[in-house]
Structure formats: structure tokens, C-alpha cells
Amino acid sequence: MKNFIKKHFRKFIILGIIALITIIATNYYVKSQTNRLIYHSVNEVPGEKVGIIFGAGIRGNNPSKYLKDRLDAGIALYKQHKINIILLSGDNGSDEHDELTVMKHYCYEHGVDTTKIFLDYAGFDTYSTMYRAKHIFNIDKAILVSQAYHLNRAVYIGNQLGVQSVGLAADSGEYHNYRFVTFREYFTICKSVIDVARGRKPHFLGTNIDIDGISNYTKDDKR
């Protein structure tokens, strides 16, 4: 093993340098394309028909700090008439981790008309959310609501997939592991550029749900 490492050490170094340059270059490219499209105040962001709120973890029947701030920012957009429709996108892969139920109940309980709430049950990652927003929900323009660290990637993917996107940063206070998720984002941005380049398709697509049609939030979901 030691002989193998010694023999190929130079190759490992070269590959490491190439990987580092690729990560730096893709992050610079994505951020240079999207920084101007990210807003930090509800009052500043231009109005649009649809706002997309990304899932971000739950604690039992309550949203995590990340998710609560995203929901609050999206609800503020709705109440200030900056958006008319909210698309909630998250993971409801099990009864123990059902982000969508928590998200839709939170919006309903905070005054959002359920006929204006649409649910994406297969938004397992940002790319899937934006791909499905375009191809399942027929969305052409949207305000994306998330923390600032995530918005460059989300806005980039949206615009590349045909959803004209701007972002609203939902940062409020401190977050658990924020430094880690910010660091991880450098690698995830790089992956998003690759996903766009190769035209990755989500694992789940399904039947179209027109955002101009009837909401898929049923009366039975209210409580």
C-alpha cells in the first residue's frame, strides 16, 4: 500500500489540484451569475406570482429553525402581496420525516389560504425541486425562499432549467451547523453545475399539476 501511494503520489496531487480549481471556478461562476438576483428584504424583492419554499428538516411536528425562517419569509411575501401562490417542496418519504405536512399546516395556521398552497411531494433535493417546478407545475418565474448560503445554487439551477428565478434570503439569527452547511455548499454548487450540464432528471416526476389550476392541498389536510 505504501509503495502504491509513493508511486502514484504525484498523480494524487495533480488530481487534487484539478479538483480544487474546478470547485473554485464553478463557485465563482455560479455566484457571479446569481449574486445580483438575491435579496435580503421582503420589501426589496420584486413581486412574482409564485414563491417556492424549500424543505429544511423538522423536529417532530415542528419545523426546524432553518425551515421556520423560510416559512416565515414566504408567508411574509404572501401577506405583503409579493406572491400569490406558495409551492412547498420537501421530503415526506416516511411518517417519521414528513416535511410537507409540517410545512403546509404551518402556512395554514399562519393565515395562508389553502387554495394558494401547492405541494411538491418529491422535492428531495434542490435540483429535483426546480426541475419539477418547471415540468410538473409549469412554473416559468418564481421567488425562491431559503437561507443565503443556499440561494446561489437554487437560483442558478432554476434559471438554467427555465424557471426565471430570484432569491429571498430568510436568514434570521444563528443556525446549528451553519459553518458546516456553508462549507459543504462549495461542493454542492460544483455538483449542481455538473447536474445541469448532463441534464439530470429527478427520480420521480409524475402527473402534471398546473400552478394556475386547483391546489393539491385538500380540505382533509386542514386541522
Side-chain angles (χ1 to χ4, degrees), residues 57-182:
I58 55 177
R59 302 289 181 268
N61 293 322
N62 297 305
S64 68
K65 166 67 173 168
Y66 285 91
L67 182 54
K68 179 181 181 301
D69 288 347
R70 295 179 187 187
L71 292 167
D72 286 341
I75 292 167
L77 284 173
Y78 172 80
K79 290 186 174 180
Q80 293 190 31
H81 306 291
K82 289 297 185 83
I83 58 174
N84 186 48
I85 293 169
I86 294 176
L87 173 64
L88 303 174
S89 184
D91 182 355
N92 72 323
S94 69
D95 291 337
E96 294 76 24
H97 189 83
D98 186 353
E99 289 183 337
L100 266 298
T101 294
V102 172
M103 293 168 76
K104 67 188 180 184
H105 286 161
Y106 189 93
C107 288
Y108 169 63
E109 290 165 358
H110 288 78
V112 181
D113 183 345
T114 57
T115 66
K116 304 299 183 181
I117 299 173
F118 285 73
L119 308 171
D120 176 10
Y121 289 100
F124 297 118
D125 58 37
T126 303
Y127 187 93
S128 297
T129 293
M130 297 314 302
Y131 190 101
R132 288 172 54 78
K134 177 65 177 179
H135 295 280
I136 299 298
F137 292 90
N138 301 315
I139 295 172
D140 295 320
K141 298 180 180 180
I143 301 172
L144 313 185
V145 184
S146 186
Q147 275 72 32
Y149 81 88
H150 174 224
L151 282 174
N152 290 104
R153 173 163 57 101
V155 170
Y156 169 77
I157 293 171
N159 284 320
Q160 291 296 313
L161 296 182
V163 181
Q164 188 175 326
S165 303
V166 298
L168 173 63
D171 298 67
S172 177
E174 297 182 358
Y175 297 96
H176 180 63
N177 283 339
Y178 195 76
R179 288 185 180 180
F180 171 73
V181 297
T182 301

Side-chain angles (χ1 to χ4, degrees), residues 5 12 20 24 35 49 54 92 97-98 103 110 140 143 148 166-167 173 184 216:
I5 292 174
F12 292 148
L20 180 61
I24 292 172
N35 277 340
K49 179 168 67 176
F54 299 86
N92 72 323
H97 189 83
D98 186 353
M103 293 168 76
H110 288 78
D140 295 320
I143 301 172
V166 298
R184 184 182 61 186
N216 60 343

